[in-house]
Amino acid sequence: MNKIHAAITAVNGYVPDYVLTNHELETMVDTNDEWITTRTGIKERRILKGEGLGTSDMAVPAVNGLLKKRGIGADEIDLIIFCTSTPDRVFPATANILADKIGAKNAWGYDLQATCSGFLFGLATGSQFIESGKHKKVLVVGGDKMSSMIDYKDRATCIIFGDGCGAVLLEPNDEGNGIIDSVLKSDGAGLPFLHQKAGGSARPTSHETIDAREHYLYQEGQSVFKFAVTNMAEVAAEVMERNNLTANDIAWLVPHQANKRIIDATASRTGVSSDKVIINIERYGNTTNGTLPLCLWEWEDKFKKGDNLIIAAFGGGFTWGSIYLKWAY
Ligand code: UT7
């Protein structure tokens, strides 16, 4: 019997309607379109507006659309892995909230927190349940409402992030397609450079933490940039080398969308030509857990069965990694 791989069999995405342009940001902080475009590649990002709406509210249309495309009901899903750094609430898990909203009555689920590498880690984790034979349908959702933790007075971070969500379905494949290999890494020494200072158990919310603006995302951009630019490229190259893949074998490079310059460095290190590199950062900015599924969603029509994809990510923590998969449809 052929080995069972976990293959993506459907993908869908959702971005909110509101477009926050560089020009609007110019009216909010001391910045300009030229600086943002040349330093990051971003032109605009989407923002989820509306009282009481959270990350799960972007996941609902993404997942409902996915189920429709695949022609299955929510009750057929076995497991939901919700990869997010902006859960609806600290608890319960957003996976549970989503399951309830879409009627996934037979699924269990959990949230996965690995910042910008979350969706990649979710794919790697979800695939284990398929390969082991435990489950037949695993939903991996990646999404963030980054606007909920961004300080729109901090020009170094508010220009980068946006809101969005995507989802994929993993199912068993015995034709040799699906997730073939992964290299996954974490290093807790990265904490000082990218974190949220308060709101967790170590520093619970108080008047003091709010007055000190400690609930916003804190980033030392240059330090993160240095780690990201080297590590995302290295790990993508590593997964290619150990699978004997050269740039010519790769149909698509799918990089996390944090900064166009980091994406270019990864493309350059792997040798993959720019026409095979998926980039939508100019329209969505960095949606954290949303970037990779949104890329897969927007390029789905261009993928062919058997295409070799290299997915790579780097995020706070630090966390980083790369997955080699063969597209299954
Ligand atoms: O996805 C999660 C992981 N995160 C990342 O991968 C992000 C990695 N970091 C980056 O992408 C970049 O470091 C940033 C885009 C955040 C910043 O770009 P940079 O080229 O590293 O700029 P910088 O922080 O070195 O700042 C250069 C200058 C500074 O001014 P001085 O000190 O040279 O006078 C900043 O104050 O640019 C200034 N600056 C800005 N100017 C206009 C910072 N932000 C802005 C801004 N508009 N929005």
Side-chain angles (χ1 to χ4, degrees), residues 5-8 173 176-181 323-328:
H5 293 287
I8 294 173
N173 183 293
N177 292 323
I179 295 172
I180 309 295
D181 195 13
I323 279 180
Y324 162 40
L325 68 80
K326 290 176 93 67
W327 196 251

Side-chain angles (χ1 to χ4, degrees), residues 162-178:
D163 303 340
C165 184
V168 299
L169 187 68
L170 295 177
E171 293 185 82
N173 183 293
D174 63 2
E175 297 179 329
N177 292 323

Side-chain angles (χ1 to χ4, degrees), residues 3-9 129-131 133 135-138 170-175 177 328:
K3 180 177 171 13
I4 297 293
H5 293 287
I8 294 173
T9 56
F129 291 95
I130 300 285
E131 285 180 21
H135 291 317
K136 295 274 183 275
K137 287 182 172 52
V138 174
L170 295 177
E171 293 185 82
N173 183 293
D174 63 2
E175 297 179 329
N177 292 323

Side-chain angles (χ1 to χ4, degrees), residues 31 35 39 116 155 219 221-222 224 256 258-259 261-262 286:
T31 190
W35 192 96
R39 300 286 180 126
C116 297
R155 68 175 182 173
Q219 175 170 260
Q222 256 190 36
V224 178
H256 171 54
N259 187 314
R261 292 182 286 145
I262 301 173
N286 182 353

